[in-house]
Amino acid sequence: MSKVLVPLADGFEEIEAINIIDVLRRGGIEVIMASLGSKKEVKGAHGVNVLADVEIKSVDVSTLDMIVLPGGWEGTLALKDDENVQKILKTMDKDKKLIGAICAAPLALHSAGVLKHNYTCYPTIEKEIREDGFSDKEMVVEDANVMTSRGPATAICFGLQIVKKLAGKEKYQEVKSGLLATYCQ
């Protein structure tokens, strides 16, 4: 079974985090939700509190197949500035493991130096990263070991693309059908 880390910082975008976690778990993927600090309760950008499984500092990176960062501006800035998250991103990239980010979170990938040339993100965030390589045409952009997505409305499709990558096309089709996500490609 594949294992994915989803770090959660206060100010994370709830739709993105919860949709991704839910879709991955429906796909039979183990998801570890990690808080940045010792407090396991993490407050989303719209006041939804989520209880993380572990603290980020206790995560064994060698057991992970992927890390996925949800967006939300405050949450993204915290992920960008968190020493543990930045170290994990660099290690995952060095080991050619999968890295994902949605909405504003590609900024945290850029900060770690792991964002590849082609990417997508929430509109205007590309100005904080770089406009070269940015696309607003696709819901999900893949470049090498990095997957990026646009924002809340693309979270299910992003989760499904991760399922396809980690669990295969058959599981992807099964989960996609169950979600009635006919709009996802």
Side-chain angles (χ1 to χ4, degrees):
M1 176 188 299
S2 294
K3 187 185 288 189
V4 175
L5 173 65
V6 178
L8 298 174
D10 284 336
F12 72 92
E13 172 54 60
E14 295 95 335
I15 289 174
E16 294 162 0
I18 300 302
N19 272 293
I20 291 165
I21 292 163
D22 181 87
V23 171
L24 296 183
R25 287 183 174 169
R26 287 173 191 247
I29 296 166
E30 181 181 352
V31 179
I32 301 167
M33 298 182 298
S35 63
L36 300 190
S38 59
K39 184 180 74 153
K40 286 192 178 176
E41 186 175 291
V42 186
K43 187 173 188 169
H46 301 95
V48 177
N49 292 324
V50 172
L51 192 59
D53 303 311
V54 298
E55 293 177 43
I56 193 103
K57 67 181 181 184
S58 69
V59 173
D60 180 356
V61 180
S62 70
T63 66
L64 301 175
D65 297 292
M66 185 172 194
I67 181 172
V68 180
L69 307 184
W73 187 242
E74 283 182 44
T76 292
L77 293 178
L79 295 171
K80 177 178 133 342
D81 294 337
D82 186 83
E83 182 179 303
N84 291 307
V85 171
Q86 292 293 300
K87 182 179 174 186
I88 291 169
L89 287 169
K90 290 172 185 174
T91 300
M92 299 280 292
D93 191 55
K94 181 178 67 70
D95 294 343
K96 299 192 182 342
K97 291 187 176 183
L98 295 173
I99 296 170
I102 186 169
C103 192
L107 180 61
L109 302 188
H110 176 68
S111 179
V114 302
L115 184 66
K116 305 305 181 227
H117 179 73
N118 299 305
Y119 75 99
T120 193
C121 62
Y122 194 82
T124 72
I125 302 302
E126 74 278 5
K127 292 171 185 2
E128 302 287 324
I129 299 172
R130 62 176 154 71
E131 294 188 43
D132 184 43
F134 168 73
S135 173
D136 61 359
K137 306 293 184 251
E138 300 90 7
M139 284 193 241
V140 178
V141 172
E142 290 186 54
D143 191 345
N145 62 321
V146 176
M147 300 173 73
T148 53
S149 191
R150 307 238 11 204
T154 66
I156 289 176
C157 299
F158 186 45
L160 284 168
Q161 287 302 313
I162 296 168
V163 168
K164 185 189 286 184
K165 187 73 100 178
L166 293 175
K169 191 165 184 160
E170 187 175 313
K171 182 55 83 172
Y172 160 81
Q173 290 292 354
E174 176 188 316
V175 176
K176 180 180 174 184
S177 175
L179 291 172
L180 305 178
T182 55
Y183 53 88
C184 295
Q185 301 167 5

